[in-house]
Amino acid sequence: MSPGMILSTAFSSIAASKLRSSLTLLGVVIGVTSVIALMAIGRGAQESITSRISAQGAELLFISVDFASDDAQDLTYDDVTAIATSPNAHDIESVAASLSAGNAEISLGATALTTTATGVTPEYFEVNGYDLASGRSLSPVDLISRSDVVVLGSNLATNLFPGQEATGQEFSINGRLFLVAGVLEPVGGFTRVDDQVFLPLTTAESRLDSNAAPGDTINVSQILVKAIDADSIEAAADQADVAIRLEHGLSFNESPDFTISNSAGIAETLEETTDVLVIFLGVVGGISLVVGGIGIMNIMLVSVTERTREIGIRRAIGARRAAVLLQFLTEATVLSIGGGLLGLAAGAVITKQFSGVQFLNTTFDAEMSVDIALLAMIVAGGIGLVAGLYPAARAASLDPIEALRHE
Amino acid sequence: MATSVVELQDLHKIYDIGGERVAALDGIDLVIEEREMVAIVGASGSGKSTLMNVVGCLDRPTSGKYLLSGNDAGSFSDNRLSDTRGRYIGFVFQSYNLLPQLTAAQNIELPLRYNPRNFDRKQAVEEALARVGLSDRANHRPNQLSGGQQQRVGIARALVGQPALLLADEPTGNLDSRSTEEIIGLLQELNSQDGMTVVMVTHEPEVSAATRRIVTLRDGKILTDEKIDQRVFSGYERSEEPAEVLR
């Protein structure tokens, strides 16, 4: 039989039991749809997480206290100054620091809300790539004089002063009056910058510790170092390392009490973590695909039993065993590939529905990638072959005489 | 000397049923020549069907020799047996055995699909349909046809590949007397006009009487083998055209 005739035989047999074929098909459709949609969504999540991290800049270094280290010294503003004024910091463009000031109870007239306050150095916004929408940034003078001024994230500004220019307005944090110096452009991302309030590092320090006097050591949570470009990131890390070791009185063979990481490293770690998520989602989809395959095997076995007489007739009028085998294998594969194609279409539709969805302040792009689609189709076809093999072999091994006698 | 279409030598077929050996065929010697029309008769369990299955290459003998047009069918591989069924043998069944999901034309076409030949498939199907007088029923499915019509489709399917040997197992067993007459007439015609060798199992005396030779089986052995004078049959004339066997 020519391939065309084998196919047309398969189609007419499938069409002979439409409802059953459709239900079998549905099993595969659901399987392939879930593999494609789940993996595409997983990839999308992975992409939006890692791209957000990478977007922060490949030239950024994050320095924080190594809490795993015994008697670790706190990071202080002195460390920031040490890096900034280090004579051999050729690859460092600028240094900033931040201090988490915890929750800020904001009140303005009848409005009361709680948000996160962060104490920062004036360089913080530039180093992170946050642009000002209006007003001014924090200045060195604010830092020295512990000014009661703030820079607001865009959401917070809109929430506090709807329809008004926020810059120049006043409101209170924890009962203390602050002046809005400027408002940031929307940043997006899951760091929730847009909902935060930024105040001078020194102001944040004194607000947390009202007994602090000017000139005392100012602790920082994190130091951000910006290298002159992405290629200099290693050199910049070494230079920052040297500067802090000197400041902390550590020799070069001692292990540091601080850690330096960069966004590429963080992105890599996150990607490894989210890879597991993608694989997990793929496996979940794969399970339903396997269930669909079992459905095919089940229906093919029923079909072989029901069509025993047909098999006997075909054998009696000249069909070889191989022709019968091929016929049932083709039917199983047509079902699985047909289901695969429909699943591909359904998967594409679902993926499209999910892309562009706002998720954790991030535009979420589900990716319908060719490799996932190919993988799902190959697996679907393979499952059809495997599921069809046993029933087909059973059909082919039937004794023609016995088969003809079958009622 | 022309080769016999079927030559059976001391043929045995033994079934092992629950450890007991049952001889369905117990030393059959039978020669069927080209263009013969033979009826096989006998009580049920006499071995008629087993004999048909062996002659039809559906089953292998336990011992003995089966020469099909001089070829030792006992040595055929499974594939060659399949091809032989498709090319050299036409089957007509008691219960027609048409595929219900296919039209009459598609059913008739089936043997040619499994064993493509050097003649045009579509034309051969049309000719076969015309031969059995069902040209206007080509696109009917079996359940839209009467029993007699279904059997005629069955005969068309058997003859479409121009086999040398036509095997009919109780071809009229499910038919009324009028349809029986039609079907027997058709088989006689295929034998006399087309030169096909026809072997038919039946238990109806009026059907076996339509043949020139009646082989009676009992307990797997040939009881009698009567050749009847052709003058018994009115209007029957042996064609003098050369036989076409195993093209």
Side-chain angles (χ1 to χ4, degrees):
Chain A
M1 270 184 136
S2 72
M5 279 193 261
I6 292 168
L7 271 181
S8 76
T9 305
F11 277 118
S12 66
S13 297
I14 288 167
S17 48
K18 287 193 186 62
L19 179 65
R20 198 158 73 186
S21 303
S22 318
L23 290 174
T24 310
L25 212 63
L26 192 63
V28 184
V29 171
I30 291 172
V32 173
T33 305
S34 32
V35 167
I36 288 176
L38 287 176
M39 287 194 81
I41 289 166
R43 284 262 183 100
Q46 183 174 42
E47 187 67 18
S48 49
I49 290 169
T50 51
S51 73
R52 185 53 60 185
I53 297 288
S54 317
Q56 286 193 324
E59 67 278 10
L60 273 192
L61 291 169
F62 305 94
I63 306 172
S64 50
V65 175
D66 184 1
F67 292 107
S69 155
D70 297 331
D71 53 55
Q73 304 175 42
D74 286 337
L75 287 175
T76 65
Y77 190 69
D78 294 339
D79 295 320
V80 179
T81 316
I83 298 169
T85 58
S86 170
N88 62 348
H90 307 296
D91 295 293
I92 294 175
E93 190 181 290
S94 52
V95 186
S98 65
L99 173 66
S100 299
N103 284 341
E105 308 289 342
I106 291 176
S107 62
L108 175 67
T111 314
L113 51 90
T114 305
T115 187
T116 312
T118 308
V120 298
T121 60
E123 299 83 5
Y124 183 81
F125 304 109
E126 184 267 322
V127 165
N128 274 302
Y130 304 156
D131 295 325
L132 278 167
S134 68
R136 64 172 180 86
S137 179
L138 299 177
S139 71
V141 175
D142 295 328
L143 198 67
I144 294 163
S145 60
R146 306 181 178 211
S147 311
D148 290 336
V149 292
V150 293
V151 169
L152 297 180
S154 63
N155 279 350
L156 185 61
T158 329
N159 289 344
L160 277 179
F161 306 102
Q164 301 171 51
E165 176 58 59
T167 305
Q169 307 257 24
E170 291 186 323
F171 66 94
S172 52
I173 302 176
N174 297 3
R176 182 166 170 167
L177 207 59
F178 280 83
L179 174 73
V180 179
V183 176
L184 293 177
E185 292 277 10
V187 173
F190 51 85
T191 50
R192 306 191 71 86
V193 170
D194 295 340
D195 293 316
Q196 286 189 43
V197 55
F198 296 94
L199 53 162
L201 187 69
T202 46
T203 313
E205 169 81 6
S206 62
R207 209 175 59 72
L208 286 175
D209 179 5
S210 52
N211 296 326
D216 279 5
T217 307
I218 301 167
N219 287 336
V220 300
S221 319
Q222 190 180 51
I223 299 173
L224 288 93
V225 173
K226 188 180 188 186
I228 50 173
D229 56 40
D231 294 335
S232 317
I233 194 88
E234 298 282 333
D238 287 344
Q239 290 153 16
D241 182 74
V242 171
I244 301 176
R245 276 175 189 277
L246 286 172
E247 185 66 27
H248 286 192
L250 292 168
S251 67
F252 291 105
N253 46 26
E254 280 178 276
S255 60
D257 56 359
F258 54 91
T259 59
I260 302 180
S261 57
N262 64 32
S263 56
I266 294 172
E268 205 172 291
T269 313
L270 264 173
E271 189 154 349
E272 279 166 16
T273 315
T274 48
D275 267 343
V276 177
L277 172 81
V278 173
I279 291 168
F280 171 74
L281 289 173
V283 167
V284 169
I287 288 171
S288 45
L289 193 51
V290 168
V291 172
I294 293 171
I296 291 187
M297 188 185 276
N298 191 17
I299 219 69
M300 292 309 294
L301 281 173
V302 171
S303 179
V304 168
T305 308
E306 272 191 359
R307 286 155 68 192
T308 300
R309 197 184 181 90
E310 172 185 333
I311 294 161
I313 296 168
R314 289 182 187 269
R315 295 276 280 132
I317 61 172
R320 293 181 172 192
R321 280 184 199 284
V324 173
L325 183 86
L326 203 59
Q327 180 190 339
F328 282 89
L329 264 190
T330 308
E331 278 178 36
T333 313
V334 163
L335 278 175
S336 64
I337 293 196
L341 287 173
L342 288 173
L344 196 63
V349 169
I350 291 177
T351 304
K352 211 171 161 60
Q353 292 296 314
F354 267 94
S355 69
V357 163
Q358 290 289 319
F359 175 68
L360 287 178
N361 275 0
T362 307
T363 309
F364 181 87
D365 272 318
E367 287 183 2
M368 171 82 184
S369 56
V370 177
D371 58 337
I372 293 176
L374 261 179
L375 179 77
M377 286 306 292
I378 290 171
V379 170
I383 277 180
L385 267 182
V386 171
L389 202 58
Y390 174 61
R394 238 164 82 156
S397 67
L398 284 172
D399 175 35
I401 300 167
E402 293 292 329
L404 274 172
R405 271 192 212 127
H406 195 267
E407 282 309 317
Chain B
M1 191 190 98
T3 323
S4 312
V5 176
V6 172
E7 188 172 344
L8 306 177
Q9 298 169 1
D10 192 27
L11 201 77
H12 291 260
K13 179 72 194 182
I14 295 161
Y15 290 109
D16 194 344
I17 301 167
E20 203 181 330
R21 287 157 64 84
V22 177
L25 295 178
D26 193 10
I28 300 279
D29 289 288
L30 182 67
V31 176
I32 297 172
E33 301 294 343
E34 273 174 28
R35 298 170 159 269
E36 269 198 287
M37 184 158 177
V38 183
I40 313 262
V41 299
S44 64
S46 60
K48 299 181 306 235
S49 292
T50 307
L51 183 63
M52 286 298 265
N53 288 338
V54 172
V55 171
C57 290
L58 281 167
D59 208 353
R60 294 170 190 273
T62 309
S63 66
K65 222 173 178 120
Y66 172 24
L67 297 174
L68 176 63
S69 295
N71 300 299
D72 182 7
S75 68
F76 285 5
S77 66
D78 193 72
N79 280 345
R80 188 160 177 203
L81 284 176
S82 300
D83 295 349
T84 304
R85 291 194 294 269
R87 287 169 186 265
Y88 304 132
I89 299 173
F91 282 98
V92 178
F93 303 93
Q94 176 175 4
S95 47
Y96 328 128
N97 277 345
L98 303 175
L99 296 189
Q101 72 269 32
L102 302 183
T103 63
Q106 287 169 333
N107 266 292
I108 295 167
E109 188 190 355
L110 219 47
L112 301 182
R113 286 191 159 216
Y114 287 115
N115 282 284
R117 315 294 269 279
N118 56 7
F119 47 77
D120 182 59
R121 212 163 57 221
K122 199 162 174 273
Q123 197 191 335
V125 171
E126 277 168 17
E127 282 172 9
L129 269 167
R131 193 65 209 273
V132 299
L134 286 177
S135 294
D136 55 338
R137 296 283 193 275
N139 295 318
H140 286 55
R141 290 184 199 279
N143 60 8
Q144 298 166 310
L145 298 171
S146 71
Q149 288 171 330
Q150 288 188 54
Q151 192 56 296
R152 282 194 273 161
V153 173
I155 291 175
R157 180 180 64 187
L159 66 86
V160 72
Q162 301 174 2
L165 178 61
L166 197 70
L167 300 178
D169 192 354
E170 303 267 13
T172 59
N174 289 357
L175 299 176
D176 59 24
S177 58
R178 213 188 119 195
S179 299
T180 297
E181 242 170 74
E182 279 175 15
I183 294 302
I184 293 306
L186 203 50
L187 291 175
Q188 281 180 320
E189 216 177 272
L190 290 170
N191 173 250
S192 60
Q193 290 180 16
D194 298 55
M196 282 183 196
T197 307
V198 176
V199 181
M200 162 167 86
V201 165
T202 184
H203 61 261
E204 295 166 88
E206 60 270 35
V207 173
S208 54
T211 64
R212 288 191 301 136
R213 182 177 173 190
I214 300 176
V215 175
T216 310
L217 293 186
R218 183 196 281 173
D219 299 333
K221 294 187 170 74
I222 293 178
L223 190 67
T224 59
D225 185 351
E226 307 165 79
K227 292 189 184 176
I228 302 157
D229 194 291
Q230 68 179 66
R231 279 168 300 177
V232 172
F233 303 98
S234 57
Y236 179 79
E237 267 181 52
R238 184 165 179 162
S239 164
E240 293 306 320
E241 289 165 32
E244 284 182 85
V245 175
L246 297 189
R247 271 161 303 200

